[in-house]
Amino acid sequence: MELSFEQLKSMVVFAQVIEQGNLSAAAKHVGLSRAVVSYHIKKLETQLGIKLLNRSTRSIALTEAGSQYYERCRVIVEQALAANQQIENLKNNPTGLIKIACPVSVGLHTIVPALNSFRQLYPNIQLEINLSDEVVNIIKEGFDIAIRGAALADSTLQATKLSTLSTCLCASPEYLLKYGRPNTPAQLASHDWVVYKLAASVLELKKGNRSYSVKFKGNVSTNNAAARTAFVEGGHGLGRIPTYDAAPKIKAGSLVQLLDDYQLNDIDVYAVFPPGAAESKKLRLLIDYLKDYFKKNKLSLS
């Protein structure tokens, strides 16, 4: 069977339909109408003489043949992207767009300032930054890189560690005046907490050779780290807060550090990206720059 340029286009469209999850999202991603995307899928099935997708009004599902065909189409798309990136890497001045997803608090405190100075060094690189504490689907939503504070759950992605952020246990002076100050890990469970919904509800502490696990709960919960800090400042409970956020507030007296003779687990910060994306010169430049920026701008409570 001969392969035409039109069929190659249809194979790319087919791969995007699977990556994006539906025809409408794929159409938006590749800049075609939904009808044209549907035409490419139907034409591909006709040329191959086999059904690739089971379609309903709400969903699509790969057939066995479609699943095998998709793996081949995916490789073609990845190789084409790699070819473009290889040419890009030959340029003296890297250009193009980098789409970044990042949590709000660490983004405003660390990533945005880093990107500000990065852009001064590489003015031809465009940046699009999405700040959200929700974990986005990088491939489906078209991001080049995401900043995350946890190890990879999706093995199809790649990651590199940027830094380690320290954390501390805090409460407001008003809360402590009203409810008392906990002096041991055992006392923490009886206190009210401001719960950050995207993190575990168990606090791990260490002192010397001893480890402690404290399960906590609270009447206020949020999916936003900055809101968590604000509720702790407002006297609604205890909270585990990154040092970069807590340090100036402790210095100003709006927060008090608790159990400072115990060690809390650090937050490992990762740059997460799709397979092959690290071949891009502009992305490598950004990752290396962020690593260096984190190293030079560590905050402490002293």
Side-chain angles (χ1 to χ4, degrees):
M1 180 185 294
E2 294 186 359
L3 183 65
S4 66
F5 288 117
E6 186 68 15
Q7 186 175 346
L8 273 173
K9 183 176 180 180
S10 297
M11 293 170 73
V12 172
V13 171
F14 172 67
Q16 287 303 316
V17 169
I18 307 308
E19 296 285 359
Q20 302 301 318
N22 59 68
L23 272 66
S24 297
K28 183 178 179 181
H29 188 76
V30 298
L32 300 172
S33 68
R34 190 182 186 282
V36 171
V37 169
S38 180
Y39 161 79
H40 276 289
I41 301 301
K42 291 177 181 177
K43 186 174 182 180
L44 202 53
E45 290 178 325
T46 299
Q47 290 172 330
L48 297 172
I50 196 168
K51 196 171 186 179
L52 300 174
L53 293 174
N54 291 318
R55 296 184 285 276
S56 69
T57 55
R58 294 188 177 182
S59 64
I60 59 171
L62 284 166
T63 63
E64 183 179 353
S67 180
Q68 295 181 22
Y69 195 67
Y70 162 67
E71 289 302 320
R72 298 290 186 178
C73 295
R74 179 180 59 81
V75 171
I76 290 172
V77 174
E78 288 179 356
Q79 289 298 316
L81 290 173
N84 285 342
Q85 288 170 355
Q86 190 171 32
I87 295 300
E88 175 197 312
N89 293 344
L90 296 175
K91 299 177 182 177
N92 292 326
N93 297 313
T95 62
L97 173 67
I98 303 178
K99 290 186 65 177
I100 306 162
C102 181
V104 178
S105 183
V106 71
L108 293 176
H109 281 86
T110 305
I111 302 301
V112 170
L115 295 177
N116 181 38
S117 51
F118 177 80
R119 271 275 297 156
Q120 293 171 2
L121 286 176
Y122 305 103
N124 293 325
I125 295 179
Q126 301 166 282
L127 300 176
E128 182 180 323
I129 304 99
N130 178 64
L131 295 178
S132 172
D133 284 356
E134 300 296 334
V135 178
V136 300
N137 185 316
I138 298 174
I139 295 177
K140 184 175 180 179
E141 299 188 33
F143 286 101
D144 298 294
I145 184 172
I147 309 301
R148 290 183 178 170
L152 276 175
D154 187 344
S155 60
T156 65
L157 300 175
Q158 296 178 350
T160 184
K161 186 176 176 181
L162 298 177
S163 182
T164 299
L165 299 179
S166 61
T167 64
C168 57
L169 186 59
C170 296
S172 71
E174 294 76 15
Y175 176 89
L176 297 177
L177 185 63
K178 187 174 182 179
Y179 297 104
R181 180 173 185 146
N183 294 308
T184 66
Q187 294 174 351
L188 294 174
S190 62
H191 279 265
D192 205 7
W193 286 72
V194 177
V195 179
Y196 183 48
K197 292 166 63 176
L198 302 182
S201 59
V202 176
L203 182 70
E204 304 290 342
L205 305 95
K206 292 180 180 179
K207 187 175 184 180
N209 295 324
R210 298 197 61 182
S211 298
Y212 306 86
S213 294
V214 179
K215 188 171 179 61
F216 59 84
K217 59 183 178 180
N219 293 315
V220 177
S221 63
T222 177
N223 67 344
N224 181 273
R228 181 260 319 275
T229 301
F231 279 118
V232 174
E233 278 190 284
H236 298 281
L238 312 183
R240 177 195 175 203
I241 300 174
T243 300
Y244 67 77
D245 197 7
K249 295 173 176 58
I250 292 172
K251 186 175 181 179
S254 62
L255 287 178
V256 176
Q257 186 181 6
L258 306 173
L259 299 181
D260 56 356
D261 53 338
Y262 288 81
Q263 182 182 354
L264 304 182
N265 288 341
D266 293 331
I267 300 173
D268 290 331
V269 180
Y270 294 87
V272 181
F273 39 88
E279 298 298 323
S280 166
K281 183 176 182 179
K282 64 178 183 286
L283 194 59
R284 290 205 317 271
L285 286 171
L286 176 60
I287 291 172
D288 290 342
Y289 189 85
L290 289 175
K291 285 182 178 180
D292 187 59
Y293 189 90
F294 270 99
K295 186 176 180 179
K296 291 178 179 178
N297 292 274
K298 282 187 177 293
L299 285 175
S300 68
L301 291 169
S302 57

